[in-house]
Amino acid sequence: DAGVTQSPTHLIKTRGQQVTLRCSPKSGHDTVSWYQQALGQGPQFIFQYYEEEERQRGNFPDRFSGHQFPNYSSELNVNALLLGDSALYLCASSLRLYGYTFGSGTRLTVV
Amino acid sequence: LAKTTQPISMDSYEGQEVNITCSHNNIATNDYITWYQQFPSQGPRFIIQGYKTKVTNEVASLFIPADRKSSTLSLPRVSLSDTAVYYCLVVPDGSSNTGKLIFGQGTTLQVKP
């Protein structure tokens, strides 16, 4: 039973660049949520996708955008990267709003 | 959503029982209490969830008093591998559930040999 898969595991980008992170949900799940976790902090909700639409959004600027595909996989895009965007980006899948399973995350470093 | 308060850190020794208490004074009637565990460079992992009284699974027990304003996660006979950050969350059920999990800073548990 495949859990949540995220790629890449690590990434280094330069300020001002754009990045795309990918997430494949757990089998049977239809909803994907993205979280940002800065060092020493708890995960912060970015947004959630269900039926290929953004359903909920946290307090993040428009530089953060996403997409969900018909197979329920999802992408997180961040434009105009700032040093403060350096963090662990976590994807969580669920069956609608229940049974959250987190991936191991993508460690993004902006230099 | 109810805010939770828990100790920033705790130390224990192998074989001891560890109790982590979480305060959630503004918990609503349809809120559940959920605990997650997170190891470094991994995503949070669901441990246990409860509404009232006591819930027990193969990993932990969760004690919730009648007023539900606090809860205690109990880890029996911890080992070095239990060293992790533990998060207490209050999650609404039903129509109040927006799907947005709100994490605090969590409790960093350090288990020593």
Side-chain angles (χ1 to χ4, degrees):
Chain A
D1 178 25
V4 178
T5 304
Q6 292 188 242
S7 63
T9 55
H10 296 82
L11 200 54
I12 299 176
K13 289 286 189 178
T14 305
R15 278 178 298 174
Q17 284 189 316
Q18 178 263 345
V19 68
T20 297
L21 311 181
R22 296 176 175 82
C23 173
S24 293
K26 180 179 178 179
S27 177
H29 284 182
D30 59 6
T31 301
V32 173
S33 304
W34 287 92
Y35 290 78
Q36 180 195 65
Q37 186 173 26
L39 202 60
Q41 303 297 317
Q44 300 298 305
F45 177 80
I46 302 175
F47 43 52
Q48 181 183 82
Y49 278 84
Y50 172 67
E51 292 185 334
E52 302 180 48
E53 291 189 13
E54 184 181 293
R55 301 291 179 168
Q56 292 285 332
R57 188 177 184 92
N59 188 25
F60 279 81
D62 292 343
R63 298 187 298 109
F64 290 77
S65 63
H67 189 77
Q68 186 179 35
F69 300 94
N71 67 352
Y72 307 119
S73 67
S74 176
E75 289 182 349
L76 164 66
N77 301 293
V78 186
N79 295 321
L81 284 166
L82 305 173
L83 294 179
D85 294 332
S86 294
L88 180 67
Y89 287 86
L90 295 162
C91 169
S93 72
S94 58
L95 180 59
R96 195 56 185 101
L97 300 178
Y98 298 95
Y100 290 92
T101 302
F102 284 81
S104 293
T106 294
R107 172 70 65 187
L108 172 65
T109 302
V110 182
V111 297
Chain B
L1 295 174
K3 180 179 178 180
T4 60
T5 303
Q6 51 184 123
I8 294 297
S9 64
M10 293 182 69
D11 289 339
S12 183
Y13 291 93
E14 281 190 293
Q16 289 188 331
E17 178 185 71
V18 171
N19 296 307
I20 305 174
T21 297
C22 177
S23 296
H24 26 79
N25 291 317
N26 297 322
I27 192 167
T29 303
N30 62 342
D31 289 343
Y32 280 75
I33 298 143
T34 307
W35 286 79
Y36 283 84
Q37 174 193 56
Q38 186 178 25
F39 298 112
S41 297
Q42 291 189 28
R45 182 178 74 103
F46 172 86
I47 300 177
I48 197 167
Q49 177 175 281
Y51 183 79
K52 61 180 178 180
T53 62
K54 177 183 176 182
V55 179
T56 298
N57 62 22
E58 64 279 5
V59 177
S61 295
L62 179 59
F63 299 91
I64 305 169
D67 66 4
R68 305 199 328 120
K69 293 184 182 299
S70 67
S71 60
T72 299
L73 174 72
S74 181
L75 304 172
R77 299 179 297 281
V78 294
S79 64
L80 296 176
S81 63
D82 292 316
T83 294
V85 179
Y86 293 82
Y87 294 97
C88 165
L89 282 73
V90 171
V91 182
D93 195 19
S95 60
S96 300
N97 186 354
T98 64
K100 176 181 175 181
L101 298 178
I102 297 180
F103 290 83
Q105 278 194 294
T107 297
T108 299
L109 172 65
Q110 180 70 51
V111 180
K112 303 175 182 179

